[in-house]
Amino acid sequence: MVNPATTETALPAGMALEIDGIRHAFTLEGRPLPVLDDVSFSVEPGEFVALLGPSGCGKSTLLRLLAGLEPPDHGEARADGVAITAPDPSRVVVFQDPTLFPWRTVRANVALGLEAQGLMKTRAYRIDEALERVGLGAFGNVYPHQLSGGMAQRAALARALVNDPRLLILDEPLGKLDSLTRMSMQSEIVDLWRRDGFTTLLVTHDVEEALFMATRVIVFSERPARITADIAIARDYPRHRSDPYFADLKRRVFGLLGMDATW
């Protein structure tokens, strides 16, 4: 069980989510392109849910809706029972690219969220706290070009964590890292989640990553995305990649993705 940390607002560390009958489409050459088709599920406070599905099926679009970056065409997404209609510092997104400003130091990049909220005078101490949490305490004064790929992604995580998010949205954040760095970052993100208790949503194309990190894995169909499976992972942490349970589960998930013949 996740033990939510105490926050200044006395709210649970993790945010409850309800996704209710969401349909969404883009306009392509003047015609609608459906990407989400009647998607419904809920997430309990403090859960870690991974979203798996074919490339382009609409997973990242769903994350954008949950972040409040755009409204759904139909249906509703709710955070703690309140409709999501705009971005909020309690819901933060970490993308595949760290998107650090090259002319700002790591510390100055991490400070961006506090600056935008006008909180630098009262909460600047959180910058160094966030850097320590991701293992970059000694790198606050360096610039992005001096960081490795893994370190840059840690800086992006620190920029998200400085806001004390109740929902951390991860959109393929490890997709461009080498395999060893990626495995290390998977464990570090899980450790942060277990310690701080925020709710986490992860989009990934890596089946093993989803099974290793999440408490639940939701599998989507081809576009327009529908949920084809919602799988609870019956293993505590820390997890071991050699566990036969994960091999069996990988085989099942690859089958759901139509890739069982290649397994």
Side-chain angles (χ1 to χ4, degrees), residues 4-21:
T6 301
T7 67
E8 293 179 359
T9 56
L11 291 169
M15 178 179 289
L17 292 175
E18 297 171 78
I19 293 85
D20 187 7

Side-chain angles (χ1 to χ4, degrees), residues 89-110:
S90 65
R91 292 177 269 112
V92 295
V93 185
V94 177
F95 296 102
Q96 184 177 87
D97 292 308
T99 60
L100 302 174
F101 290 125
W103 59 88
R104 297 179 68 121
T105 64
V106 168
R107 178 176 282 105
N109 270 283
V110 173

